[in-house]
Amino acid sequence: MAIKKITFSVCFFSLCLHAHPYSYLNGPLLSVGMGVGLGSVLESRGTFSKPSNDIILQSHSLQLGLQIQGGDQKYFTPFIGVAYYGYFGYRYFYMDEFVRSLESATSMNRYSLGIGANLLINVYSKFRKDRRGRVKVYAYGLFGGLLGVVNIWSARFGGANPSYVRNNANIDAVFGISMRFDKFKWSLGIHMPIASQERLIRVPSNTGALKTLTILDNYKSANLFMNFTKVF
């Protein structure tokens, strides 16, 4: 008798879980994507005793890189849901000639780690069963939210100079469009830092001059990204 009650409870719970078609929109997700954007780097010159705040040149660097996200999504109706996720991203800066020539600058990298949440809005949702009775999901919509992120900047220069590491924390506005075809979703969006921040890298030279690279993290360094997502 107890076994029958347990079996009935499990079946009833499963029936309630799938009572609404939009429950098929829910599930853990894993995303892999790529990003491209601009990054501003400023150069000023002075000495150790008299640093200069005058900007000599400004580089509008090109950022290219990859990102990965893992989390979960839950819909409350066929058209409204939320997603929360962990984020890791990498960007490599292709810098202007003046930055590459500054003390033989060889590379600049940015590593990002964060946690975010998005509001999901489907403007179209459709659920269809195949011949085997499995429900397939098709949805097109918009998303928008916030991503709290910690950035680690690493700049390396030629010769015997070591790598220079700086870090900062920011909040990115995230928004874009998405299309879902059964278990796979394609997203195109933008990461835009909300707060305007600067990080300085002071590079000494053999002549005693002091050269300063200023890395800007603001709306001008927004990234366009494309994600490919599997919903489990």
Side-chain angles (χ1 to χ4, degrees):
M1 189 69 175
I3 296 178
K4 289 183 178 181
K5 289 183 177 180
I6 294 174
T7 303
F8 175 79
S9 298
V10 172
C11 294
F12 180 77
F13 176 78
S14 300
L15 181 62
C16 292
L17 184 64
H18 295 284
H20 300 288
Y22 58 81
S23 63
Y24 292 100
L25 290 165
N26 303 336
L29 56 88
L30 179 64
S31 299
V32 177
M34 60 190 74
V36 59
L38 297 178
S40 294
V41 179
L42 311 179
E43 178 196 8
S44 61
R45 297 176 182 174
T47 63
F48 288 105
S49 60
K50 295 182 179 180
S52 173
N53 293 324
D54 296 331
I55 302 302
I56 304 300
L57 289 170
Q58 179 172 357
S59 169
H60 295 288
S61 308
L62 179 66
Q63 302 181 45
L64 294 176
L66 302 172
Q67 62 217 21
I68 184 170
Q69 298 176 185
D72 200 359
Q73 67 179 29
K74 178 176 179 58
Y75 277 80
F76 308 106
T77 75
F79 304 101
I80 301 292
V82 294
Y84 48 91
Y85 58 92
Y87 172 88
F88 173 78
Y90 166 76
R91 295 291 185 271
Y92 179 83
F93 283 58
Y94 287 90
M95 297 174 287
D96 285 353
E97 182 63 30
F98 94 88
V99 180
R100 293 196 299 268
S101 64
L102 174 67
E103 294 293 330
S104 302
T106 56
S107 66
M108 184 175 294
N109 304 276
R110 188 189 74 182
Y111 305 89
S112 302
L113 186 66
I115 298 175
N118 291 337
L119 174 67
L120 309 176
I121 301 176
N122 289 338
V123 296
Y124 172 85
S125 294
K126 183 176 181 180
F127 307 92
R128 185 171 62 188
K129 287 187 177 182
D130 59 16
R131 294 180 178 179
R132 294 176 294 180
R134 190 174 71 89
V135 176
K136 292 187 176 182
V137 178
Y138 301 89
Y140 309 91
L142 311 171
F143 63 90
L146 297 175
L147 171 65
V149 64
V150 174
N151 298 309
I152 300 175
W153 310 80
S154 173
R156 187 170 182 83
F157 303 88
N161 291 325
S163 296
Y164 292 79
V165 177
R166 298 292 183 269
N167 59 74
N168 78 298
N170 211 331
I171 297 178
D172 289 1
V174 182
F175 51 92
I177 60 174
S178 66
M179 294 185 292
R180 178 171 174 176
F181 306 94
D182 197 17
K183 294 294 185 178
F184 296 93
K185 182 163 65 174
W186 172 84
S187 303
L188 180 67
I190 293 176
H191 283 170
M192 180 181 296
I194 295 178
S196 182
Q197 300 188 31
E198 298 181 358
R199 287 298 179 267
L200 304 180
I201 300 178
R202 291 187 170 88
V203 186
S205 67
N206 296 330
T207 62
L210 179 66
K211 296 183 178 181
T212 301
L213 288 184
T214 303
I215 304 170
L216 302 181
D217 186 35
N218 55 25
Y219 70 94
K220 294 182 180 179
S221 56
N223 274 244
L224 178 69
F225 68 87
M226 181 184 299
N227 279 351
F228 300 92
T229 303
K230 172 67 180 296
V231 182
F232 296 92

